[in-house]
Amino acid sequence: MMTKAVSDVIAERQRQRENGRNDANDDGYINGVLALAGAAYAISGAGLNDVGTFRLRAKNLWPFPLKTFRPAGNADRRRDLVRGAAMIVAEIDKIDRSSVFRQEEKY
């Protein structure tokens, strides 16, 4: 059974793809960058710390120019978590594509 959360992560990943974050774009990043970006959004979505240290940690993880990090924060924690999960899925897909490529090279 697909929950609303899983459905929303898939929809977010599709939105990212429609905005140019496709396989070719993702494959151009060094390994782990998309996972770090996803982790930054997930930490921002944790929303457990009102003194802002989670937000600071999230910013420190963000592997791109800081001006491109636009979490919703406490205003919409769920949105940040969905966005982060979709970025982590993109990293997993990148690993899977790389593994398939390596398997094909063996033959």
Side-chain angles (χ1 to χ4, degrees):
M1 177 176 117
M2 187 180 311
T3 66
K4 178 169 175 27
V6 172
S7 177
D8 288 349
V9 170
I10 292 168
E12 171 61 20
R13 182 64 191 130
Q14 185 59 38
R15 185 196 68 76
Q16 291 170 354
R17 289 172 153 300
E18 290 167 0
N19 288 318
R21 299 334 189 259
N22 56 29
D23 293 352
N25 180 79
D26 293 349
D27 291 347
Y29 293 120
I30 61 172
N31 292 337
V33 166
L34 296 170
L36 283 173
Y41 270 96
I43 289 170
S44 180
L48 298 173
N49 191 327
D50 292 332
V51 289
T53 56
F54 282 172
R55 299 281 187 278
L56 178 61
R57 289 178 183 156
K59 288 178 183 179
N60 287 339
L61 277 178
W62 187 247
F64 304 113
L66 195 52
K67 67 182 179 183
T68 63
F69 185 54
R70 296 180 298 271
N74 287 336
D76 193 349
R77 293 179 43 231
R78 187 180 188 282
R79 172 83 182 117
D80 286 348
L81 291 169
V82 167
R83 201 169 191 186
M87 291 177 173
I88 291 168
V89 166
E91 182 75 30
I92 294 166
D93 285 342
K94 182 177 185 249
I95 291 167
D96 290 349
R97 283 190 303 278
S98 176
S99 297
V100 167
F101 178 75
R102 283 195 305 271
Q103 286 293 330
E104 289 174 356
E105 280 186 329
K106 290 180 181 179
Y107 300 105

